[in-house]
């Protein structure tokens, strides 16, 4: 929930702070953090981000019921305040099942930093993939039922109202303007999904944790979080050529979300001290952009596979984690704007020292198909158990056509100071 | 039939007296220590205080549950403080067989239970002076145990056992444990580094009888090389309350205390 008026936002923030006083009196558990985050562009020295954050968790837990509210406020630069109620839900606990109702973040799968079966909660990509993962995911209003049988769980989710992935604003440094041969006209009138029973999303998962293997099997009937661009071309005759030829004179683009059926699974197992992880999903009926002149609205429907395999292991106290991710479009043809295969890797090395007060980490996304990468080194020092200083960098390198290389002008070094309570 | 019974009883008495007079080996003493009566299940609030050489302290509070299920032991820990790890949970399944432990961690920020490698038992636990092995995760046959001598510590007659790892790369070259001859409870332990220099001393500060079992409720590990120490105090200890097996599942890891 975003509020546009500054006065309303400040009022809401004050109400939240006043509620905190009331909550303390009622024995509600309050935790959270305050954080200041400043980043400088390494190319031009401009401040790419100047952000102050207040994150509050209100929790009240009983034997059979619990409630949680998680408001978060971001102050960007001097006066751009956004307040979001990231989660607010109620839990009800029964003998063999739990029910959670309300706005909640739902995380599935065994992969890290990639979203293959983890597609229940939409994403906020307004700052690309840079925010912490709990801040990338959006809360979604839903009903979640977990039924337990021994070490296994059946989870059913009903989402009455679709929420899409948030993309960067047109004035954001993370917005990449698509190139068109002529200036397009966008018609956003069909980009929303009317909330109704018919337009609901449903997901089902069976998972188990055993001594040999952890696994999840999932299926979902959902909406594509990213809209498909229905393109209609207008032509006029170019009389300056002999003979006259049709010439592209206009583009009408109508973004629309379409239904997707998804089935997949994931697993994790330890073999000789190495944790092997895997995750994959089959997506049925995704619309891809095509240059096929016979295609309606420059779109073609194809199925695709997305999967990952990963290893986690320790060497001399350093924790390593590496993943290979492949997206494969079935029955691909050369008109489709995306490649048949798209290969990506991730690599993490993490080391804690000085009695777990100094944390060193290197995280990278590596675009194997486009020879580009996002490299994210960071050092965190805990002054005490509440107060930490982080110094890091987000370095984009490689081919400008790649999903990471396209942001190579946005590389930053940054610092985050965080107080947890 | 009477004769047969008499032979059996006589043989049993003879064998018993023989075993009473036969000195125990180091391995037998360690086995008795491991196999002494223990709780089927236990809950406690664990307070861990880390003190550095300047006297500065950091405190961690953990609610822990454990249950012996015959061929395996399951335990689960919920981190209560400090604030940045609050609601994190850690579950461990240890097996009597040679099978490696199974371990999972739930990080509330990621909202995901992750299986982690149990191949890091030499890592220090939450910045303390205790490794996972020190906290009880080490198997008897991981070391060769030798009875060195008997001596009195804290007015208790003790066996002194030297344990050397069968794995040459282990972080300790040896440990020496003082075990009370009457109760078979360890009262002190010294840890030696790879250069055979004294690294740490574990002292048992307090033991309480709870539900007819002796429970160590206050212990201290001192790293003599770093001049750093960690005390562990157990409060609200409850024994054999019949914790359900369902406590040790993903459901409880994510729900919390």
């Amino acid at each position: 929930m975003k509020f546009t008026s500054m006065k309303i936002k400040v009022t809401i923030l004050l109400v939240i702070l006043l509620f905190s006083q009331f909550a303390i009196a009622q024995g509600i558990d309050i935790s959270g953090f305050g954080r200041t985050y400043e980043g400088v562009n390494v190319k031009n020295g401009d401040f790419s981000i100047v952000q102050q954050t207040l994150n509050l968790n209100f929790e009240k837990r009983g034997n059979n019921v619990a409630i949680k509210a998680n408001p978060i406020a971001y102050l960007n630069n001097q006066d751009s305040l956004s307040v979001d109620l990231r989660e607010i839900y109620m839990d009800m606990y029964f003998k063999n099942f739990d029910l959670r109702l309300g706005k909640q973040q739902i995380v599935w799968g065994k992969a890290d930093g990639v979203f293959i079966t983890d597609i229940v909660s939409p994403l906020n990509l307004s700052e690309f993939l840079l925010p912490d993962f709990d801040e990338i995911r959006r809360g979604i209003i839903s009903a979640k039922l977990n039924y337990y049988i021994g070490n296994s769980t059946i989870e059913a989710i009903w989402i009455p109202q679709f929420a899409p992935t948030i993309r960067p604003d047109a004035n954001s440094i993370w917005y990449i303007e698509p190139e068109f041969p002529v200036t397009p006209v966008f018609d956003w009138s069909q980009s929303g999904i009317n909330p109704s029973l018919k337009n609901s999303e449903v997901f089902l998962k069976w998972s188990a944790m055993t001594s040999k293997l952890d696994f999840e099997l999932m299926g979902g009937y959902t909406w594509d979080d990213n809209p498909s661009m229905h393109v209609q071309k207008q032509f006029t005759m170019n009389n300056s050529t002999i003979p006259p030829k049709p010439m592209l004179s206009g583009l009408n683009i109508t973004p629309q979300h379409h239904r997707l059926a998804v089935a997949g699974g994931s697993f994790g197992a330890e073999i000789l001290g190495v944790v092997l992880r895997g995750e994959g999903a089959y997506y049925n009926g995704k619309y891809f952009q095509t240059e096929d002149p016979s295609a309606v609205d420059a779109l073609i429907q194809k199925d695709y596979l997305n999967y990952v395999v990963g290893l986690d292991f320790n060497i001399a106290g350093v924790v390593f984690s590496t993943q290979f991710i492949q997206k494969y479009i079935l029955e691909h043809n050369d008109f489709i704007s995306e490649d048949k295969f798209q290969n990506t890797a991730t690599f993490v090395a993490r080391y804690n020292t000085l009695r777990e007060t100094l944390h060193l980490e290197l995280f990278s996304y590596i675009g194997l198909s486009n020879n580009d990468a996002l490299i994210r080194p960071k050092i965190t020092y805990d002054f005490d158990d509440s107060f930490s200083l982080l110094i890091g960098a987000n370095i984009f390198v490689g081919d400008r056509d790649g999903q990471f290389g396209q942001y190579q002008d946005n590389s930053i070094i940054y610092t985050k100071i965080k107080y947890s309570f | 039939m009477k004769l047969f019974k008499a032979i059996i009883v006589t043989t049993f008495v003879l064998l018993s007296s023989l075993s009473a007079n036969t000195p125990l080996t180091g391995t037998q003493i360690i086995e008795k220590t491991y196999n002494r009566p223990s709780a089927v299940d236990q809950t406690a609030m664990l307070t861990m205080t880390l003190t550095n050489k300047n006297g500065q302290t950091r405190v961690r509070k953990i609610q822990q549950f454990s249950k012996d299920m015959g061929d395996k032991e399951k335990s689960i820990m919920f981190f209560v403080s400090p604030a940045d790890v609050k609601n994190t949970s850690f579950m461990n399944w240890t097996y009597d067989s040679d099978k490696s432990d199974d371990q999972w961690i739930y990080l509330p920020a990621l909202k995901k239970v992750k299986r982690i490698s149990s191949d890091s038992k030499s890592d220090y636990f939450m910045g303390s002076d205790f490794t996972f092995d020190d906290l009880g995760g080490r198997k008897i046959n991981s070391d060769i145990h030798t009875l060195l001598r008997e001596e009195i510590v804290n007015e208790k007659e003790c066996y002194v056992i030297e344990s050397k790892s069968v794995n040459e790369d282990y972080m300790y070259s040896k440990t020496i444990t003082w075990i009370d001859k009457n109760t078979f409870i360890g009262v002190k332990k010294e840890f030696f580094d790879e250069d055979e220099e004294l690294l740490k001393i574990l002292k048992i500060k307090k033991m309480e009888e709870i539900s007819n079992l002796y429970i160590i409720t206050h212990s201290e590990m001192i790293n003599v090389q770093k001049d750093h120490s960690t005390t562990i105090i157990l409060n609200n200890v409850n024994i054999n309350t019949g914790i359900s097996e369902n406590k040790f599942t993903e459901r409880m890891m994510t729900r919390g205390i």
Side-chain angles (χ1 to χ4, degrees):
Chain A
M1 192 189 306
K2 301 262 182 202
F3 304 92
T4 48
S5 158
M6 188 68 182
K7 274 187 182 174
I8 292 173
K9 286 185 279 193
V10 171
T11 306
I12 287 167
L13 199 53
L14 286 171
V15 168
I16 289 168
L17 294 173
L18 282 171
F19 177 73
S20 304
Q21 294 294 317
F22 170 76
I24 291 167
Q26 293 297 312
I28 294 174
D29 186 27
I30 302 176
S31 60
F33 66 81
R35 182 183 66 201
T36 180
Y37 171 24
E38 279 76 36
V40 176
N41 187 299
V42 294
K43 253 188 178 168
N44 56 28
D46 289 350
F47 279 105
S48 297
I49 187 153
V50 177
Q51 185 184 76
Q52 321 305 317
T53 307
L54 177 64
N55 179 61
L56 294 171
N57 282 303
F58 299 94
E59 289 179 86
K60 178 80 175 174
R61 192 172 293 181
N63 287 333
N64 301 315
V65 68
I67 188 164
K68 178 180 174 178
N70 175 206
I72 189 164
Y74 295 99
L75 177 64
N76 287 296
N77 302 316
Q78 283 289 331
D79 52 7
S80 175
L81 178 67
S82 70
V83 183
D84 188 16
L85 197 50
R86 199 163 53 170
E87 288 189 298
I88 178 161
Y89 59 75
M90 181 181 286
D91 281 331
M92 283 164 275
Y93 306 128
F94 300 89
K95 187 181 177 191
N96 294 321
F97 67 95
D98 298 334
L99 186 61
R100 177 170 290 178
L101 301 172
K103 190 177 182 186
Q104 53 189 300
Q105 291 184 3
I106 297 167
V107 181
W108 281 6
K110 305 289 182 198
D112 292 333
V114 288
F115 306 91
I116 293 173
T117 63
D118 185 15
I119 55 169
V120 181
S121 287
L123 305 177
N124 181 349
L125 298 178
S126 55
E127 292 174 44
F128 191 49
L129 290 166
L130 301 189
D132 295 340
F133 282 116
D134 57 327
E135 292 176 60
I136 280 185
R137 282 193 191 82
R138 299 181 66 192
I140 185 93
I141 293 172
S142 53
K144 184 177 75 160
L145 175 80
N146 285 68
Y147 185 81
Y148 305 98
I149 311 161
N151 288 325
S152 69
T153 308
I154 294 169
E155 184 168 313
I157 296 165
W158 174 58
I159 301 174
Q161 186 171 8
F162 168 70
T165 292
I166 294 176
R167 294 279 160 191
D169 292 338
N171 57 358
S172 164
I173 60 170
W174 303 106
Y175 178 73
I176 302 292
E177 191 167 2
E179 289 180 4
F180 297 103
V182 294
T183 305
V185 176
F186 280 88
D187 173 10
W188 291 94
S189 64
Q190 296 181 55
S191 64
I193 303 293
N194 180 42
S196 67
L197 279 177
K198 185 182 151 199
N199 288 337
S200 299
E201 294 179 282
V202 287
F203 294 89
L204 192 66
K205 182 180 78 168
W206 174 44
S207 63
M209 272 172 45
T210 72
S211 62
K212 290 187 173 61
L213 182 78
D214 306 336
F215 68 85
E216 296 181 1
L217 293 173
M218 60 77 70
Y221 185 57
T222 180
W223 291 94
D224 190 344
D225 283 342
N226 300 301
S228 304
M229 300 295 168
H230 288 252
V231 180
Q232 289 180 325
K233 298 173 183 173
Q234 292 168 340
F235 293 92
T236 53
M237 292 307 288
N238 182 357
N239 294 319
S240 62
T241 59
I242 301 171
K245 289 182 178 173
M247 184 179 72
L248 184 67
S249 59
L251 286 173
N252 290 324
I253 299 178
T254 310
Q256 280 184 51
H257 292 276
H258 291 283
R259 281 289 193 180
L260 267 182
V262 185
S266 61
F267 72 91
E270 185 182 357
I271 301 165
L272 301 173
V274 175
V275 175
L276 172 67
R277 292 181 286 114
E279 184 171 336
Y282 182 86
Y283 295 72
N284 173 249
K286 163 86 176 172
Y287 283 87
F288 289 91
Q289 224 68 48
T290 179
E291 292 174 6
D292 184 345
S294 65
V296 177
D297 290 352
L299 289 170
I300 187 166
Q301 222 176 355
K302 294 287 178 189
D303 299 345
Y304 73 98
L305 280 167
N306 205 358
Y307 52 90
V308 55
V309 287
L311 296 173
D312 304 333
F313 51 96
N314 304 320
I315 299 176
V318 182
V319 178
F320 293 95
S321 179
T322 182
Q323 300 179 127
F324 171 76
I325 306 123
Q326 185 169 73
K327 181 178 176 183
Y328 167 49
I329 302 171
L330 282 76
E331 297 178 16
H332 184 273
N333 63 51
D334 292 341
F335 291 117
I336 295 174
S337 56
E338 278 190 41
D339 292 337
K340 183 176 185 178
F341 292 98
Q342 190 167 6
N343 300 331
T344 311
T346 65
F347 173 80
V348 185
R350 196 176 289 123
Y351 182 64
N352 296 323
T353 185
L354 299 181
R355 294 188 178 273
E356 298 196 5
T357 55
L358 185 65
H359 313 275
L360 312 175
E361 183 182 298
L362 176 67
F363 179 89
S364 343
Y365 286 103
I366 302 152
L368 301 172
S369 298
N370 293 295
N371 298 320
D372 61 340
L374 165 57
I375 302 161
R376 309 188 69 186
K378 65 180 181 186
I379 299 172
T380 310
Y381 181 70
D382 300 331
F383 285 97
D384 61 29
D385 288 332
S386 306
F387 181 47
S388 67
L389 167 68
L390 186 160
I391 297 171
N394 298 316
I395 308 296
F396 295 90
V397 294
D399 192 332
R400 281 188 182 272
D401 290 333
Q403 62 170 326
F404 308 111
Q406 64 182 338
Y407 291 123
Q408 61 177 261
D409 294 334
N410 290 358
S411 295
I412 63 167
I413 53 172
Y414 66 92
T415 175
K416 289 181 181 179
I417 300 172
K418 186 175 177 182
Y419 181 78
S420 304
F421 53 90
Chain B
M1 191 65 185
K2 278 185 180 175
L3 178 65
F4 181 69
K5 266 191 176 175
I7 290 169
I8 296 236
V9 168
T10 308
T11 307
F12 179 74
V13 169
L14 280 172
L15 282 174
S16 300
S17 63
L18 183 66
S19 80
N21 292 327
T22 306
L24 294 169
T25 65
T27 302
Q28 287 170 327
I29 294 164
I30 293 291
E31 280 174 350
K32 278 179 172 285
T33 304
Y34 270 71
N35 296 332
R36 71 188 166 83
S38 59
V40 174
D41 64 57
Q42 179 176 324
T43 66
M45 176 62 84
L46 184 153
T47 304
M48 197 158 62
T49 306
L50 287 58
T51 307
N52 69 12
K53 60 185 175 188
N54 300 321
Q56 294 166 321
T57 58
R58 294 154 68 199
V59 178
R60 281 94 178 78
K61 283 185 183 287
I62 299 162
Q63 178 72 51
Q64 62 174 19
F65 300 81
S66 61
K67 186 177 178 79
D68 190 338
M69 297 178 182
D71 59 345
K72 58 180 173 282
E73 183 180 318
K74 294 184 178 181
S75 61
I76 190 165
M77 292 191 278
F78 298 98
F79 295 83
V80 178
S81 69
D84 62 342
V85 295
K86 189 178 177 185
N87 293 331
T88 298
S89 58
F90 172 81
M91 184 161 71
N92 187 75
W93 295 358
T94 304
Y95 301 89
D96 287 349
S97 64
D98 288 339
K99 183 185 181 325
S100 301
D101 290 4
D102 290 307
Q103 295 182 339
W104 297 267
I105 191 163
Y106 171 70
L107 300 168
L110 297 181
K111 294 185 188 298
K112 187 155 72 172
V113 174
K114 274 196 80 167
R115 181 183 280 266
I116 57 174
S117 169
S118 60
D119 194 33
S120 50
K121 292 199 153 193
S122 298
D123 288 357
Y124 284 96
F125 178 69
M126 292 190 84
S128 74
D129 294 285
F130 289 87
T131 65
F132 284 92
D133 263 358
D134 299 341
L135 288 166
R138 194 157 177 84
K139 291 187 166 68
I140 297 176
N141 59 7
S142 299
D143 300 289
I144 296 165
H145 310 281
T146 309
L147 174 62
L148 295 180
R149 58 187 181 273
E150 296 177 13
E151 65 184 36
I152 294 173
V153 174
N154 298 339
E155 300 175 351
K156 288 176 179 147
E157 283 187 62
C158 292
Y159 295 114
V160 184
I161 308 290
E162 178 189 79
S163 302
K164 285 190 169 179
S165 173
V166 293
N167 176 4
E168 287 184 0
D169 297 330
Y170 190 50
M171 66 179 298
Y172 304 128
S173 58
K174 65 178 179 185
T175 61
I176 296 178
T177 311
W178 281 258
I179 295 169
D180 187 333
K181 287 180 73 173
N182 292 318
T183 60
F184 285 94
I185 294 173
V187 296
K188 181 184 166 189
K189 190 168 185 174
E190 292 180 347
F191 302 77
F192 293 79
D193 66 14
E194 289 167 329
D195 299 325
E196 305 216 353
E197 298 288 331
L198 179 62
L199 175 66
K200 301 190 297 187
I201 303 170
L202 174 66
K203 293 177 179 174
I204 305 307
K205 300 272 199 170
K206 188 178 179 187
M207 195 173 301
E208 292 180 59
E209 191 177 346
I210 303 169
S211 301
N212 299 319
L213 293 170
Y214 287 106
I215 306 292
I216 297 164
T217 54
H218 185 177
S219 57
E220 182 182 35
M221 181 77 90
I222 303 164
N223 185 321
V224 294
Q225 294 183 7
K226 304 275 186 185
D227 199 9
H228 193 282
S229 68
T230 302
T231 61
I232 291 182
I233 294 175
L234 295 187
N235 289 310
N236 303 326
V237 181
N238 289 299
I239 301 287
N240 298 340
T241 54
I243 302 174
S244 165
E245 194 171 339
N246 292 336
K247 190 81 189 172
F248 307 94
T249 57
E250 182 178 11
R251 180 189 197 183
M252 289 302 155
M253 289 188 80
T254 54
R255 187 201 284 189
I257 305 168

